[in-house]
Each structure stands twice: as structure tokens, then as C-alpha cells.
């Protein structure tokens, strides 16, 4: 089963937008996510409805962040995407009268609910500002690493 990477892609795009001085067009963002600009406009419209981005029409227009990165969590973006399923696993339902199937499904349901609650809580703890800080730390280390290679290599 193919993993749903939409949340990762949208977070990627939002961090790139935070680094830009001006608006980003749907076409530019679509290239980053390797998708169609229509898909980007649909996703960004959901983010705009929740106040995370704004759009400007016309020449020089596009999408910009509407809020500070510290005020947006990964959970906020996940919810804006329609809260897609977090797990590809599911229960067998071919024989609901089977007592073994009932026992297995009850155990899995409890486990899935607990895991989902933990994951959603963690998504609520991480802000886009934290992701941006991590990116900038990695960028600095990368620059130092390349500088060291230039001197010695």
C-alpha cells in the first residue's frame, strides 16, 4: 500500500513559503510537490479557510503565510487536510459473528485508538517554527561541512 505523503508535502511547501520574500504561485508550489496546480489550489484553499495562508490574485500574486510559524502546529495542518487516516492497518470484517475475529478486532481497536491519540498529541506539540529552526540548523551544519570539504578537498 502506498503511503499518503500529503501532510509531509504540504509542510515542505509551507516551510519553503516561509523562506520566500514574496508570494508563491500555485504552479511553483506544484513543482515542489510534483503535482498539478489545481491540487495545490484545493489544498491551499483549505489552509486559507482556516487562516494559515492568504492568496493574492493578479500579476505578482500567489500564496503567502497568514500567521506566524510559531502559531501553527503540525496537527493544525493535518486537520486542514481533512484528518486523513493515520494507519493503513485495519480490522478483518469478513465474519463479524466469529468470536476470534471479535477478540482480535477489540484488541486492535483499542491499540489503534491509543496510538492515534498519542500521534495526534505529538503533532499538536510541534510547530512550523520548530521545523523551520531544525531546517536552519541543518543548513548551517551543511554549510560548515561544505566549507571544510573545500579547504581539505
Amino acid at each position: 500500500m502506498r503511503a499518503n505523503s500529503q501532510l509531509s508535502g504540504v509542510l515542505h511547501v509551507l516551510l519553503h513559503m516561509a523562506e520566500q520574500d514574496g508570494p508563491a504561485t500555485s504552479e511553483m508550489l506544484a513543482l515542489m510537490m510534483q503535482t498539478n496546480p489545481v491540487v495545490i489550489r484545493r489544498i491551499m484553499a483549505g489552509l486559507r479557510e482556516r487562516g494559515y495562508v492568504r492568496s493574492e490574485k493578479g500579476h505578482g500574486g500567489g500564496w503567502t503565510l497568514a500567521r506566524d510559524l510559531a502559531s501553527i502546529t503540525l496537527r493544525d495542518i493535518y486537520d486542514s487536510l481533512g484528518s486523513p487516516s493515520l494507519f493503513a492497518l485495519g480490522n478483518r470484517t469478513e465474519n463479524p459473528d466469529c468470536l476470534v475475529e471479535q477478540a482480535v478486532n477489540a484488541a486492535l481497536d483499542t491499540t489503534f485508538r491509543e496510538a492515534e491519540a498519542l500521534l495526534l498529541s505529538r503533532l499538536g506539540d510541534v510547530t512550523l517554527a520548530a521545523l523551520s529552526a531544525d531546517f536552519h540548523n541543518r543548513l548551517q551544519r551543511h554549510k560548515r561541512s561544505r566549507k571544510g570539504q573545500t579547504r581539505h578537498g
Side-chain angles (χ1 to χ4, degrees):
M1 176 178 276
R2 187 168 178 251
N4 180 340
S5 61
Q6 188 178 39
L7 176 60
S8 177
V10 171
L11 295 171
H12 185 115
V13 162
L14 292 173
L15 289 178
H16 273 289
M17 288 172 58
E19 297 297 317
Q20 287 190 210
D21 290 330
T25 66
S26 296
E27 290 73 17
M28 181 189 315
L29 299 176
L31 284 174
M32 284 182 212
M33 285 187 68
Q34 299 177 342
T35 191
N36 189 297
V38 173
V39 172
I40 294 297
R41 284 190 279 276
R42 192 175 319 121
I43 290 169
M44 297 304 276
L47 296 175
R48 181 181 56 215
E49 287 173 15
R50 294 188 179 231
Y52 303 126
V53 298
R54 68 176 69 89
S55 61
E56 300 173 28
K57 295 184 181 201
H59 181 71
W63 298 98
T64 56
L65 292 170
R67 290 181 37 192
D68 182 72
L69 295 180
S71 70
I72 305 171
T73 67
L74 276 61
R75 172 73 187 264
D76 294 330
I77 304 306
Y78 167 80
D79 289 341
S80 296
L81 296 173
S83 305
S85 178
L86 293 171
F87 304 110
L89 298 174
N91 290 335
R92 178 183 162 91
T93 59
E94 283 75 9
N95 190 356
D97 293 329
C98 175
L99 299 180
V100 171
E101 187 171 290
Q102 291 174 18
V104 168
N105 289 350
L108 289 177
D109 285 342
T110 300
T111 303
F112 292 154
R113 276 194 308 275
E114 290 172 359
E116 183 173 315
L118 180 62
L119 182 54
L120 291 175
S121 174
R122 182 65 181 127
L123 289 175
D125 291 340
V126 180
T127 65
L128 292 185
L131 295 183
S132 179
D134 184 35
F135 158 70
H136 283 279
N137 288 336
R138 290 171 187 271
L139 180 62
Q140 290 305 314
R141 285 194 308 267
H142 178 74
K143 286 179 180 179
R144 285 193 300 268
S145 166
R146 291 189 55 131
K147 191 175 182 180
Q149 289 175 356
T150 304
R151 285 189 204 152
H152 298 47

